[in-house]
C-alpha cells in the first residue's frame, strides 16, 4: 500500500510542476512562478531596460551629459506636443517577441509582471504617480476584430502596479480606422494619423489633470503626438507619454 502511494508522489509532483510553471513567452523555457515571473529571469535580465541619461520626449537612452531638455535627433525632427516621455525598454529582438505576444496573441497575463518591470527602470514608478492614464484608442472596428486594446491593458497594469494615485480614463476615441503604421515611413505615419482622434463625449477628464498617454511602443511618436494634439487643442496643459518599448 505504502509502496503504491510512493509511486504516485513523482506523478503528483510533475502535475504540480505543470500547474505552477509556465513557459517564458520570449525563450519558451520553463518559468517557475514565484511571485512575478511570467517571463524568465534570464530573459528579463537581458532586456534593454532604460535607466540613466535619456531623451526627454521619447525616453530613449542617450550617451553624454544629462541635462533637462535633452532630446534625441528623432524627436528634434518632430514638432512633438507632449511635455515629456518615458519607455521601459528599447525594442530589440527579445522585447519585440514580448510585445508581439501581448499585442497579437492576447497574452495579457505577461503584464502581471509589471511591478517588477517598473523596478527595473529607475524613476518610472514616480514618473507615473499622480497622473491620469489615457490609453491610445483603437478604432471600434479594429477593436471588434482584435477583441482587446493592448494599450488599455498596459494602462491598467501600470495603475495596478503604481497604486491609487493613478487612474485610467478612456478619454480618447479613434474616429478614423487608419491602416497599421508598421510599414509606413515618418511622414506617411504623420499623414496616416492626422485628425484620427477625438475626445470621447463623457470623458471625465479635468483640464488640470496630468495626462499620461499610454501606448505599447514609441516609434516616431506620430500616433502619440496626434493624441496629444487633440488634448492641447481642448485646453489640457499637462500632457506626457509612457510606453513599454521604443524602436
Ligand atoms: Zn526566457
Ligand atoms: Zn527622443
Amino acid at each position: 500500500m505504502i509502496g503504491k502511494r510512493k509511486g504516485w508522489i513523482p506523478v503528483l509532483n510533475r502535475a504540480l510542476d505543470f500547474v505552477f510553471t509556465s513557459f517564458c513567452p520570449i525563450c519558451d523555457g520553463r518559468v517557475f512562478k514565484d511571485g512575478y515571473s511570467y517571463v524568465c529571469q534570464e530573459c528579463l535580465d537581458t532586456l534593454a531596460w532604460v535607466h540613466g541619461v535619456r531623451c526627454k520626449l521619447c525616453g530613449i537612452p542617450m550617451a553624454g551629459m544629462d541635462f533637462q531638455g535633452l532630446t534625441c535627433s528623432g524627436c528634434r525632427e518632430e514638432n512633438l506636443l507632449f511635455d515629456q516621455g518615458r519607455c521601459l525598454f528599447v525594442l530589440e529582438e527579445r522585447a519585440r517577441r514580448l510585445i508581439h505576444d501581448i499585442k497579437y496573441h492576447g497574452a495579457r497575463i505577461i503584464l502581471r509582471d509589471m511591478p517588477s518591470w517598473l523596478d527595473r527602470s529607475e524613476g518610472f514608478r514616480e514618473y507615473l504617480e499622480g497622473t491620469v492614464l489615457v490609453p491610445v484608442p483603437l478604432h471600434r472596428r479594429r477593436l471588434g476584430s482584435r477583441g482587446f486594446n493592448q494599450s488599455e491593458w498596459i494602462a491598467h497594469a501600470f495603475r495596478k502596479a503604481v497604486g491609487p494615485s493613478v487612474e485610467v480614463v478612456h478619454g480618447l476615441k479613434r474616429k478614423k480606422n487608419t491602416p497599421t503604421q508598421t510599414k509606413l515611413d515618418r511622414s506617411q505615419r504623420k499623414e496616416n494619423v492626422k485628425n484620427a482622434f477625438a475626445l470621447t463625449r463623457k470623458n471625465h477628464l479635468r483640464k488640470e489633470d496630468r495626462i499620461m498617454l499610454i501606448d505599447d511602443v514609441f516609434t516616431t511618436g506620430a500616433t502619440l503626438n496626434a493624441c496629444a494634439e487633440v488634448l492641447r487643442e481642448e485646453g489640457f496643459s499637462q500632457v506626457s507619454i509612457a510606453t513599454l518599448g521604443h524602436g
Side-chain angles (χ1 to χ4, degrees):
M1 202 53 198
I2 289 168
K4 259 187 188 170
R5 262 196 217 135
K6 263 189 183 163
W8 277 103
I9 289 170
V11 179
L12 186 66
N13 280 341
R14 271 204 298 277
L16 285 174
D17 272 358
F18 188 75
V19 172
F20 292 109
T21 61
S22 59
F23 294 91
C24 171
I26 296 178
C27 70
D28 295 327
R30 282 161 74 94
V31 180
F32 291 85
K33 289 189 197 130
D34 47 348
Y36 304 102
S37 47
Y38 288 91
V39 177
C40 81
Q41 208 61 38
E42 204 186 323
C43 284
L44 278 181
D45 288 345
T46 53
L47 289 192
W49 299 97
V50 175
H51 30 137
V53 184
R54 58 185 177 265
C55 169
K56 179 196 174 193
L57 291 172
C58 69
I60 198 172
M62 292 180 74
M65 289 269 287
D66 194 9
F67 67 91
Q68 275 210 329
L70 182 69
T71 48
C72 71
S73 57
C75 287
R76 281 198 299 272
E77 272 186 50
E78 303 289 330
N79 176 28
L80 295 175
L81 298 165
F82 39 84
D83 306 318
Q84 46 186 336
R86 285 200 65 164
C87 55
L88 274 175
F89 44 75
V90 178
L91 283 178
E92 29 66 76
E93 202 195 325
R94 284 171 184 246
R96 277 185 209 285
R97 282 196 68 174
L98 192 65
I99 302 270
H100 187 91
D101 262 22
I102 298 167
K103 193 167 173 175
Y104 298 106
H105 299 161
R108 185 178 194 175
I109 201 163
I110 299 171
L111 292 169
R112 288 195 190 171
D113 280 347
M114 191 58 80
S116 71
W117 292 8
L118 293 186
D119 292 339
R120 286 173 182 262
S121 183
E122 117 207 304
F124 206 99
R125 200 180 283 273
E126 293 75 12
Y127 176 66
L128 296 176
E129 266 168 14
T131 63
V132 176
L133 310 180
V134 178
V136 169
L138 291 181
H139 189 267
R140 60 186 159 75
R141 237 170 281 147
R142 176 87 55 90
L143 187 63
S145 61
R146 189 178 290 171
F148 61 89
N149 175 359
Q150 72 283 355
S151 301
E152 285 180 15
W153 284 359
I154 295 163
H156 284 286
F158 280 157
R159 181 190 53 79
K160 218 170 161 190
V162 176
S165 74
V166 173
E167 58 178 319
V168 179
V169 173
H170 303 278
L172 289 172
K173 64 176 177 188
R174 200 182 280 243
K175 300 184 288 181
K176 285 203 298 189
N177 194 12
T178 52
T180 167
Q181 304 267 77
T182 350
K183 294 201 169 72
L184 305 181
D185 68 22
R186 194 172 275 272
S187 65
Q188 288 169 324
R189 280 169 184 259
K190 222 187 277 181
E191 197 53 39
N192 191 36
V193 289
K194 205 171 161 185
N195 303 320
F197 300 97
L199 280 181
T200 53
R201 212 147 42 91
K202 288 182 186 161
N203 56 64
H204 306 294
L205 290 172
R206 296 157 299 244
K207 294 290 185 302
E208 66 274 19
D209 284 341
R210 285 171 53 211
I211 310 283
M212 185 68 68
L213 289 165
I214 305 295
D215 208 355
D216 52 347
V217 296
F218 185 106
T219 310
T220 65
T223 305
L224 287 154
N225 207 36
C227 292
E229 190 172 14
V230 171
L231 292 161
R232 292 290 194 213
E233 279 170 1
E234 296 285 343
F236 292 88
S237 59
Q238 304 181 78
V239 183
S240 296
I241 62 133
T243 63
L244 292 187
H246 186 300

